[in-house]
Amino acid sequence: DAGVTQSPTHLIKTRGQQVTLRCSPKSGHDTVSWYQQALGQGPQFIFQYYEEEERQRGNFPDRFSGHQFPNYSSELNVNALLLGDSALYLCASSLAGFNEKLFFGSGTQLSVL
Amino acid sequence: GNSVTQMEGPVTLSEEAFLTINCTYTATGYPSLFWYVQYPGEGLQLLLKATKADDKGSNKGFEATYRKETTSFHLEKGSVQVSDSAVYFCALLSGKLIFGQGTTLQVKP
């Protein structure tokens, strides 16, 4: 049983570019949450998707957007990249209504130069 | 707003030493509390949780008790091993997980 998988594992972009990160949830899970973890900090909630809609959103600008597909996989898009967007981006999956049981992927390390 | 504060690290211990990592929280109501662990190059893994006051979560020798009087959820282990070296995150659930800043534990043989 595959857990949460994220791609790519590492990514290097330059300021102003756009990036798309991908996540496949654990088998049987239908909810995907995205977190940003800056170096030396705890993860911060970006948003959560369920039934292909954004259900909750953290304190992140509109440059951060997402999508969920019918197979429950998800994408995180970041436009107009800033140096401060450099971080580890974590995807977590769960069953709707069971937000306590989150399973995390290993993350995508994004470096913005 | 809701928040979690952890003791700053790194915490460096010798093998078989006693571990305490302090965690306090600010929240309305009584949220579920968690400890997550992050090993190098890996995602977060749930270590233990407690859902109500006075509950004790435990796993792999680690324990934490939900103390509403002191709004704390300190992580303890009686005898650490080198393999426990990792970053530990305290978190609360308020519609979403809110994490502390993490505490790095280094255990030396």
Side-chain angles (χ1 to χ4, degrees):
Chain A
D1 175 24
V4 179
T5 57
Q6 293 186 242
S7 64
T9 55
H10 296 83
L11 203 51
I12 300 174
K13 292 286 187 179
T14 56
R15 280 180 300 174
Q17 285 189 312
Q18 178 264 343
V19 68
T20 298
L21 311 181
R22 295 176 176 83
C23 172
S24 292
K26 178 179 169 63
S27 178
H29 285 183
D30 56 9
T31 302
V32 172
S33 302
W34 287 92
Y35 287 80
Q36 180 196 65
Q37 186 179 7
L39 188 64
Q41 301 296 316
Q44 294 204 352
F45 176 76
I46 303 175
F47 43 54
Q48 181 185 78
Y49 276 83
Y50 169 65
E51 291 187 335
E52 302 180 46
E53 290 190 12
E54 184 182 291
R55 299 293 178 169
Q56 292 188 74
R57 188 178 183 92
N59 189 25
F60 279 79
D62 292 345
R63 299 186 297 109
F64 289 77
S65 63
H67 188 77
Q68 186 178 35
F69 300 93
N71 67 353
Y72 308 123
S73 66
S74 177
E75 289 182 348
L76 164 65
N77 301 292
V78 187
N79 294 322
L81 284 167
L82 303 174
L83 295 180
D85 295 332
S86 295
L88 179 68
Y89 288 85
L90 295 168
C91 172
S93 73
S94 60
L95 279 173
F98 287 86
N99 284 314
E100 294 190 1
K101 297 185 178 180
L102 287 183
F103 288 80
F104 283 84
S106 299
T108 294
Q109 184 66 53
L110 173 64
S111 299
V112 182
L113 306 179
Chain B
N2 297 336
S3 65
V4 176
T5 302
Q6 295 180 230
M7 64 185 288
E8 293 203 12
V11 173
T12 303
L13 296 173
S14 297
E15 210 165 20
E16 299 184 2
F18 183 85
L19 167 71
T20 299
I21 300 178
N22 289 338
C23 169
T24 57
Y25 66 90
T26 301
T28 52
Y30 302 104
S32 295
L33 301 175
F34 305 83
W35 278 99
Y36 278 82
V37 59
Q38 187 174 38
Y39 298 102
E42 298 184 17
L44 279 74
Q45 300 175 25
L46 177 63
L47 182 59
L48 54 84
K49 70 174 185 180
T51 57
K52 60 183 186 295
D54 299 326
D55 264 4
K56 177 184 284 188
S58 61
N59 186 27
K60 299 180 181 179
F62 290 90
E63 293 183 340
T65 301
Y66 192 139
R67 303 284 189 200
K68 69 175 182 179
E69 322 78 51
T70 53
T71 61
S72 65
F73 193 56
H74 305 321
L75 182 68
E76 297 181 335
K77 186 175 186 182
S79 176
V80 294
Q81 305 300 312
V82 172
S83 57
D84 293 327
S85 298
V87 182
Y88 292 81
F89 293 93
C90 185
L92 67 82
L93 184 65
S94 175
K96 56 188 180 287
L97 279 176
I98 297 172
F99 290 89
Q101 73 271 35
T103 302
T104 299
L105 171 64
Q106 299 173 340
V107 180
K108 298 186 175 181

